[in-house]
Amino acid sequence: MVADITKWTPERSFDVWHDRAVFHFLVEAEQRHACRRALEAGVAAGGLVIIATFAPEGPERCSGLPVQRYDAAALAAEIGPAFALTESWREQHTTPAGNAQAFNWCVFRRVANG
């Protein structure tokens, strides 16, 4: 699925939603709110959401763009109460240029529909 998450409304429910390094580019509150609306509309009850963002010690910019960094608690608060954090871990990603970037991975389960 390719779409602008800040403008997209899912037309069906998904059992798994995987976001590898998109959410941290949503630096404005309204962008994150729009993403949360899409998650709530597009993830089935009991479905999983897997999100990777830059960790607090990760870079402040990526590809010349500002990013928002998260630990598990901050990301869970941003995603909202419709999703329960079930697992989180850190990863040191090495870029093609050889730089290390700290990532935070979180898995959430959809606990409510509506």
Side-chain angles (χ1 to χ4, degrees), residues 5-6 23 26 30-40:
I5 194 63
T6 66
F23 196 82
L26 305 178
E30 181 51 41
Q31 293 172 315
R32 293 188 301 274
H33 182 72
C35 181
R36 191 171 47 250
R37 280 193 310 260
L39 284 169
E40 291 172 357

Side-chain angles (χ1 to χ4, degrees), residues 77-98:
E78 195 66 55
I79 296 301
F83 299 91
L85 179 65
T86 62
E87 188 176 355
S88 67
W89 66 94
R90 297 288 179 97
E91 173 193 11
Q92 282 291 74
H93 169 72
T94 303
T95 68

Side-chain angles (χ1 to χ4, degrees), residues 13-35:
S13 292
F14 299 90
D15 292 326
V16 177
W17 183 298
H18 183 256
D19 169 355
R20 201 286 192 191
V22 171
F23 196 82
H24 61 220
F25 285 107
L26 305 178
V27 296
E28 301 295 329
E30 181 51 41
Q31 293 172 315
R32 293 188 301 274
H33 182 72
C35 181

Side-chain angles (χ1 to χ4, degrees), residues 6-8 21-23 38-39 42 46 48 50 58-59 67 88 91 96 101 104 111 113:
T6 66
K7 296 178 174 71
W8 181 62
V22 171
F23 196 82
L39 284 169
L48 296 176
I50 305 161
V67 297
S88 67
E91 173 193 11
Q101 296 178 330
N104 176 52
V111 295
N113 259 343

Side-chain angles (χ1 to χ4, degrees), residues 55 97 109:
R109 184 168 300 280

